[in-house]
Amino acid sequence: MLIASNRGPIAFDVDDDGRLTGRRGGGGLVTGLQDAARDPRVRAGGSMWICAALDDADRRAAREAPHGRLDRAGHDTGVPVRMLDMDRDTFDGAYNAIANRTLWFVQHMLYAIPEAPSFGPDFRRGWAAFERYNALFARALAAEAAPGAAVFVQDYHLALVPGYLRELRPDLRIAHFSHTPWAPPEYFRLLPDAVTQALLGGMLGADRLGFLAGRWAAAFEACCTDVLGTRPPGDPAGIRFAGRTTGVGVHPLGVDAAALTERAAAPDVARRAGQLRTLAAGRRIILRIDRTELSKNIVRGLEAYRELLRTHPEWIGRVVHLVYACPSRNELPEYRRYMAAVQRTAAEICAEFATDSWVPLHLEIADDYPRSLAALSLAEVLVVNPVRDGMNLVAKEGPVLSRDGVALVLSREAGVCAQMDRDALVVNPFDVSATAAAMHAALGQPASERRARTARLAAVATALPPRVWFHEQIEALTRPGPEAGAEPAPLDQLETTG
Ligand code: G6P
């Protein structure tokens, strides 16, 4: 079994003596897959994870290891890792110009259309790099896979891999999973026509495509109909294209309650919880935790908090807003500008409302996982208001970790909303006033109702933990077609890598 993703389960740094040291790779995608890869049933099959070298330290590690195969470098990656070394231009073009600045923007509908996008020669150079990068992954997977192996390709970075890989190795079973939303056809078709065809055709090289929510799967199918002329969405057999059929599945990734609560019981989290209690001094905590990411809608969230304090002055001095932003992608100028706007808005709120004895808002731009866990256990209100989000696992972690119930203010544009809309306070993320009103309603929720809703939200959040989520996809990929009429193949009978 092979897993392929841009970011892998391990990353390297160079220490003061010039030695390479390994650490855990970051981000939600890696966390979910990592747990799946640690499953003994996945480990047992001689599996491997193929990822890109992301920076100079990674590239050195990949070059120094025979065939890029890394030992675990002090960090348990679950399965062995092969890191692909490539020149910096190929990586930057594929990751920054195309994956992050184009595909991410399209799927999250982030463009300010009068100005962007604009597809000229720079874009074409980036696209050529994206093709090279995907071809490199396809060749590495083709070289590592045993006959009939199952390959699990992750996310938009690797959208062309299924098509390339099928040409090289028609014997393989190939799955592709999208961890993002999918844009409706009118928006997707902002991309040049040849690019829309290549992306959809490339993904349809897979036997199965996975999405986090039904809405994203339906949008993908609608794009196929519009761009490739496939039959209208909804055929239970899947999408027929170029003489093949690709199945489509929805797998709403959840969290592992046992692992999460065990980590939250560690002393470093208890220490942070003590500090936060002192900071809050009995005031009610309104929390948000995001990557420093345009799609997370942090600025409108802060504006809503300001409106809450203006329209409901009874909360002044009685609440405190913790805003934790974990740095991400700050090599992109759009992200740096956005974070400057976040800081500006936070400073304005403090200037307007702070008193000698009360700070209304604490903005922390740092990656402090134990502090995030501590805050989730204490918050009374959790704000998750992305303009668009594939799933959003913070919305799932909050109810699981909450000690005394948490009221969830949730964007209707997050994939998770399809599962949690009954017990969350659902908002239109563009409507700042409605978000402020939802914060007020959240603070007013009776404790008993808050606790009951939290229990139901936690049950939904833990329904499909990463190992089960991955197992479900393995079964779907390796299940013989309906014509064979057989039971799904047990995991331990899957073909393994060579
Ligand atoms: C989040 C998204 C994934 C994406 C990942 C990449 O986890 O949900 O869709 O692949 O970020 O982030 P990175 O930091 O590697 O650019």
Side-chain angles (χ1 to χ4, degrees):
M1 201 184 306
L2 293 163
I3 298 172
S5 63
N6 171 65
R7 191 178 289 276
I10 190 159
F12 289 88
D13 297 309
V14 179
D15 71 14
D16 293 345
D17 302 325
R19 275 191 310 250
L20 287 169
T21 54
R23 66 184 151 84
R24 170 187 177 280
L29 181 150
V30 167
T31 309
L33 275 175
Q34 169 82 96
D35 189 37
R38 289 206 182 110
D39 187 328
R41 295 168 300 182
V42 174
R43 281 178 197 253
S47 309
M48 174 178 277
W49 190 330
I50 297 185
C51 61
L54 303 182
D55 57 17
D56 286 341
D58 280 4
R59 281 188 273 272
R60 198 182 120 194
R63 273 197 299 273
E64 289 177 6
H67 311 295
R69 285 185 193 197
L70 305 162
D71 66 14
R72 288 174 184 170
H75 168 69
D76 178 13
T77 54
V79 297
V81 175
R82 176 170 164 191
M83 206 175 240
L84 301 181
D85 179 25
M86 66 193 87
D87 62 89
R88 200 181 295 189
D89 280 354
T90 299
F91 180 76
D92 280 350
Y95 178 67
N96 286 321
I98 303 301
N100 286 350
R101 272 187 117 168
T102 308
L103 302 182
W104 182 271
F105 273 60
V106 169
Q107 302 301 19
H108 291 83
M109 301 170 59
L110 293 178
Y111 288 117
I113 300 280
E115 291 162 11
S118 172
F119 299 117
D122 281 354
F123 172 80
R124 261 77 195 181
R125 264 191 299 281
W127 182 254
F130 187 74
E131 290 175 322
R132 289 198 300 280
Y133 163 99
N134 274 262
L136 200 68
F137 266 85
R139 283 198 298 275
L141 289 162
E144 295 289 350
V151 183
F152 294 89
V153 181
Q154 308 299 315
D155 238 351
Y156 51 98
H157 315 88
L158 300 179
L160 305 180
V161 165
Y164 290 168
L165 185 56
R166 178 154 308 281
E167 282 195 14
L168 295 170
R169 290 288 305 273
D171 61 303
L172 301 178
R173 302 286 295 162
I174 306 169
H176 181 280
F177 196 89
S178 293
H179 295 261
T180 59
W182 198 275
E186 315 79 77
Y187 204 90
F188 186 69
R189 296 189 78 170
L190 291 178
L191 289 165
D193 292 352
V195 169
T196 58
Q197 287 157 13
L199 290 169
L200 298 172
M203 284 173 66
L204 291 175
D207 296 289
R208 284 200 53 95
L209 297 174
F211 294 89
L212 288 166
R215 187 176 164 195
W216 315 141
F220 176 83
E221 289 200 45
C223 286
C224 289
T225 303
D226 247 43
V227 173
L228 302 176
T230 56
R231 281 200 214 147
D235 182 344
I239 305 174
R240 290 172 212 273
F241 179 66
R244 301 183 52 261
T245 302
T246 300
V248 179
V250 175
H251 306 277
L253 177 65
V255 298
D256 180 339
L260 200 56
T261 41
E262 189 189 324
R263 178 64 188 90
D268 57 348
V269 180
R271 241 188 342 269
R272 301 289 201 291
Q275 290 159 358
L276 289 178
R277 274 199 209 89
T278 309
L279 180 92
R283 297 183 177 99
R284 305 170 70 178
I285 296 176
I286 303 174
L287 172 67
R288 67 175 305 134
I289 303 177
D290 312 273
R291 288 191 299 115
T292 56
E293 165 58 56
L294 274 61
S295 60
K296 301 296 183 185
N297 206 21
I298 306 173
V299 174
R300 287 194 194 87
L302 297 183
E303 287 170 350
Y305 179 62
R306 171 162 60 197
E307 192 166 325
L308 171 79
L309 297 179
R310 283 182 184 163
T311 53
H312 291 282
E314 66 268 29
W315 294 119
I316 291 178
R318 292 174 55 212
V319 294
V320 59
H321 194 9
L322 304 181
V323 180
Y324 294 161
C326 179
S328 174
R329 301 188 195 168
N330 44 24
E331 59 282 3
L332 299 188
E334 293 89 342
Y335 281 58
R336 290 197 296 272
R337 275 200 297 276
Y338 188 71
M339 283 320 290
V342 168
Q343 285 170 302
R344 224 172 22 246
T345 313
E348 284 167 15
I349 293 171
C350 288
E352 182 172 343
F353 294 102
T355 64
D356 288 347
S357 57
W358 181 58
V359 178
L361 179 155
H362 296 268
L363 167 66
E364 305 279 355
I365 303 178
D367 185 2
D368 188 338
Y369 188 54
R371 186 180 56 194
S372 295
L373 296 178
L376 286 168
S377 75
L378 297 174
E380 260 184 55
V381 178
L382 178 62
V383 180
V384 178
N385 68 324
V387 292
R388 220 168 145 77
D389 213 336
M391 173 55 67
N392 197 297
L393 289 178
V394 173
K396 291 191 167 177
E397 290 164 347
V400 172
L401 290 175
S402 172
R403 294 214 187 134
D404 195 31
V406 63
L408 178 62
V409 175
L410 181 61
S411 162
R412 67 184 185 197
E413 302 302 329
V416 69
C417 193
Q419 295 180 283
M420 292 188 150
D421 55 346
R422 266 190 305 174
D423 285 299
L425 292 128
V426 176
V427 294
N428 168 355
F430 301 96
D431 190 339
V432 169
S433 303
T435 307
M439 287 178 178
H440 176 64
L443 288 164
Q445 218 169 61
S448 58
E449 182 186 339
R450 198 177 66 223
R451 289 187 203 112
R453 285 176 185 257
T454 301
R456 290 192 294 267
L457 289 170
V460 171
T462 53
L464 198 61
R467 287 182 190 202
V468 186
W469 168 80
F470 196 58
H471 196 177
E472 215 179 69
Q473 294 173 65
I474 294 171
E475 296 225 319
L477 180 65
T478 54
R479 188 183 302 141
E483 62 284 1
E487 290 299 306
L491 196 55
D492 55 4
Q493 285 174 22
L494 287 177
E495 293 288 351
T496 60
T497 61

